């Protein structure tokens, strides 16, 4: 099979799109101008467009020949609530919002791949270009889940779905992926210790919520350290602890009636996740019952573990090797304890998520994702587009048809 090379002019065009998107960032479910931009371009390329899936999601369908095989390629479109500190021309024109995770680059690369495949694509089958909203919410109300719930894979069936994210901590052009759990689940929890306001001098008469909450925090970390298989990676963080009224100095003479504690949990294993939900609830219940205090415990599940399937990940690695060479592909990277809502899509169909290194040459330290100095590295656009187009052309050539 002859694969078509990518035009330099297309890479230049994609760079201009990327910078335009960077200048006009939109956050979760408000990606109206971005979705318009995407849909208009796809229509210009002659691709069938479906809008408004899962809110502002856009799906482009490009069908050629008679094969029933279909592949899904996904990019995310949303920005973050960060005030950009960069001063270049394409810096954010929207106060307090910026593309600090490179979703402007992901959108531009997938659009360029769509343009190329529409014009020169050598394949038999269907390519679906999935542009999703709201990857950054961190809870179940995210764009990936919204699109899946809105019938993404029933309305637009695919045999496999693939995702890609730029990765500033690795050299530009390096691909990284792994079979199995690659990114963590993310959950949030909250507990309240409920008592009555008391005079510190007679505190012994009622339960002390602050001291009890502090003990619970320690017990939660003890649970992680002593009651779980240490081979299972877990990140437990208590991020908020509120009790008493610090705004009035005089309140130092009042023992508060409530303590509220919040935290986050990242795991790579569903049974560990279950064990934590049950274990943390039990710790709160036991500790409060023991001193006669009331309690409230809330555990909210966010993104599931992102789990790449074996066949599709091997395939993704072989495509990456074809694009950048074997030396620049790590197909057994260490999992990362961050989360990604592409996990919801991988919960429905097989597929693989990969990182594409995007560190700038000559820069001593990477500009990390989610910082005010970050900017997507346009030098990886050509590689990203070649990965998408090679992946689609080869997948449709090498995957046997469904029956
Ligand atoms: Zn992000
Ligand atoms: Zn991101």
């Amino acid at each position: 099979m002859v694969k078509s090379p990518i035009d330099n002019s297309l890479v230049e065009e994609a760079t201009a799109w990327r910078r335009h998107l960077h200048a006009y960032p939109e956050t979760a479910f408000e990606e109206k101008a971005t979705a318009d931009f995407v849909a208009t371009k796809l229509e210009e390329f002659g691709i069938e467009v479906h809008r408004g899936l899962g809110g502002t999601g856009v799906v482009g369908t490009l069908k050629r020949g008679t094969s029933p095989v279909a592949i899904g390629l996904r990019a995310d479109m949303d920005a973050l609530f960060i005030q950009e500190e960069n001063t270049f021309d394409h810096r954010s024109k929207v106060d307090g919002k910026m593309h600090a995770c490179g979703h402007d680059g992901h959108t531009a690369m997938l659009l360029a791949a769509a343009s190329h495949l529409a014009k020169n694509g050598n394949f038999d089958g269907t390519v679906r270009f999935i542009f999703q909203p709201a990857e950054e919410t961190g809870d179940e109300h995210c764009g990936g889940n919204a699109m899946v719930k809105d019938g993404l894979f029933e309305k637009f069936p695919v045999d496999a779905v693939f995702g890609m994210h730029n990765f500033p901590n690795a050299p530009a052009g390096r691909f990284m992926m792994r079979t199995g759990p690659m990114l963590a689940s993310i959950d949030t929890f909250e507990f309240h210790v409920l008592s009555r306001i008391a005079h510190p001098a007679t505190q012994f008469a009622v339960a002390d919520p602050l001291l009890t909450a502090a003990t619970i925090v320690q017990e939660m970390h003890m649970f992680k350290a002593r009651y779980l298989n240490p081979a299972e990676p877990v990140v437990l963080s208590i991020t908020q602890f509120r009790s008493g009224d610090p705004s009035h100095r005089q309140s130092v003479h009042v023992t508060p009636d409530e303590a509220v504690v919040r935290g986050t949990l990242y795991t790579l294993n569903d049974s560990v996740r279950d064990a934590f939900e049950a274990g943390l609830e039990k710790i709160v219940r036991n500790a409060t019952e023991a001193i006669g205090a009331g309690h409230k415990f809330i555990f909210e599940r966010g993104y599931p573990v992102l789990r790449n399937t074996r066949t599709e990940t091997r395939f993704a690695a072989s495509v990456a090797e074809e694009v950048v060479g074997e030396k620049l592909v790590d197909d057994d990277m260490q999992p990362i304890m961050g989360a990604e809502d592409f996990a919801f899509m991988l919960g429905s169909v097989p597929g693989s998520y990969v990182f594409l290194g995007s560190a700038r040459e000559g820069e001593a330290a990477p500009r990390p994702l989610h910082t005010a100095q970050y900017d997507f590295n346009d030098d990886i656009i050509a590689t990203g587009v070649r990965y998408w187009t090679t992946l689609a052309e080869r997948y449709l050539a090498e995957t046997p048809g469904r029956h």
Side-chain angles (χ1 to χ4, degrees):
M1 194 190 75
V2 183
K3 280 183 295 294
S4 35
I6 308 290
D7 281 351
N8 269 343
S9 60
L10 178 61
V11 174
E12 279 168 25
E13 222 178 336
T15 305
W17 298 340
R18 201 290 287 179
R19 292 181 180 197
H20 168 79
L21 294 170
H22 189 91
Y24 300 99
E26 295 175 299
T27 44
F29 296 114
E30 288 169 0
E31 306 91 339
K32 291 201 172 61
T34 309
D36 274 345
F37 185 86
V38 166
T40 307
K41 289 273 173 248
L42 291 174
E43 277 160 5
E44 273 172 31
F45 308 152
I47 292 173
E48 187 191 317
V49 175
H50 186 103
R51 308 183 53 156
L53 202 79
T56 46
V58 178
V59 181
T61 298
L62 181 63
K63 192 170 164 49
R64 203 158 275 180
T66 55
S67 164
V69 179
I71 179 173
L73 313 177
R74 168 272 203 180
D76 37 17
M77 302 190 289
D78 58 320
L80 288 151
F81 291 98
I82 294 178
Q83 182 65 43
E84 179 155 9
E85 286 176 9
N86 294 312
T87 53
F88 43 61
D89 285 350
H90 65 272
R91 70 183 176 276
S92 173
K93 307 289 183 279
V94 184
D95 255 6
K97 294 186 181 183
M98 105 177 247
H99 269 293
C101 202
H103 300 183
D104 47 348
H106 302 163
T107 299
M109 288 192 293
L110 189 57
L111 268 182
S115 165
H116 175 85
L117 288 167
K119 218 197 253 163
N120 312 301
N122 180 9
F123 63 87
D124 180 6
T126 301
V127 187
R128 304 211 193 266
F129 304 95
I130 303 165
F131 293 88
Q132 75 150 79
E135 192 286 318
E136 300 280 9
T137 66
D139 56 22
E140 61 173 346
H141 308 290
C142 58
N145 197 19
M147 283 188 94
V148 170
K149 280 192 167 160
D150 208 0
L152 172 64
F153 296 123
E154 287 81 40
K155 292 174 186 159
F156 307 98
V158 296
D159 294 273
V161 66
F162 293 85
M164 170 166 53
H165 205 292
N166 80 102
F167 195 65
N169 300 69
R174 184 177 173 82
F175 279 93
M176 299 155 69
M177 71 281 286
R178 79 189 307 271
T179 292
M182 175 159 138
L183 290 164
S185 59
I186 174 172
D187 303 315
T188 57
F189 60 87
E190 158 178 339
F191 70 85
H192 300 233
V193 179
L194 308 165
S195 183
R196 280 184 289 128
I197 286 181
H199 190 297
T202 52
Q203 171 63 58
F204 55 86
V206 296
D208 179 345
L210 206 154
L211 182 59
T212 310
T215 309
I216 291 172
V217 167
Q218 302 232 20
E219 280 183 24
M220 284 181 168
H221 281 286
M222 214 144 72
F223 179 76
K224 174 182 173 250
R226 292 332 247 164
Y227 295 93
L228 282 165
N229 181 348
E232 292 289 355
V234 175
V235 186
L236 171 78
S237 302
I238 304 295
T239 52
Q240 298 179 1
F241 193 122
R242 188 168 54 75
S243 192
D245 180 6
S247 61
H248 302 289
R249 173 121 182 81
Q250 238 184 302
S251 303
V252 75
H253 300 294
V254 177
T255 309
D257 58 352
E258 185 180 21
V260 183
V261 179
R262 294 200 183 98
T264 59
L265 177 75
Y266 293 82
T267 75
L268 287 178
N269 183 328
D270 289 337
S271 62
V272 172
R273 206 177 178 193
D274 293 343
F276 256 97
E277 180 170 1
L280 297 187
E281 200 271 334
K282 199 168 154 190
I283 289 169
V284 173
R285 186 165 20 94
N286 288 350
T288 50
E289 273 174 11
I291 57 145
H295 79 274
K296 212 156 76 180
F297 179 78
I298 302 159
F299 192 91
E300 276 181 4
R301 294 198 172 211
Y303 302 174
V305 176
L306 184 143
R307 218 173 258 107
N308 282 337
T309 50
R310 184 183 303 272
T311 309
E312 287 69 24
T313 304
R314 281 188 182 153
F315 175 71
S318 86
V319 169
E321 282 173 10
E322 183 179 330
V323 173
V324 295
E326 203 178 328
K327 279 197 187 129
L328 287 178
V329 178
D330 177 1
D331 65 358
D332 191 24
M333 67 172 282
Q334 195 175 33
I336 291 178
M337 299 305 283
E340 218 321 322
D341 87 343
F342 188 63
F344 284 104
M345 296 195 186
L346 288 178
S348 301
V349 287
S352 194
Y353 182 80
V354 303
F355 283 122
L356 171 56
S358 60
R360 279 189 172 69
E361 238 178 282
E363 260 188 12
R367 293 191 230 174
L369 299 171
H370 292 213
T371 61
Q373 298 79 31
Y374 171 84
D375 187 36
F376 181 84
N377 182 0
D378 291 325
D379 292 345
I380 66 165
I381 287 179
T383 306
V385 177
R386 238 180 311 138
Y387 172 75
W388 279 140
T389 58
T390 311
L391 190 84
E393 288 183 319
R394 267 189 54 190
Y395 186 84
L396 295 174
E398 295 171 22
T399 306
R402 284 173 291 171
H403 298 290

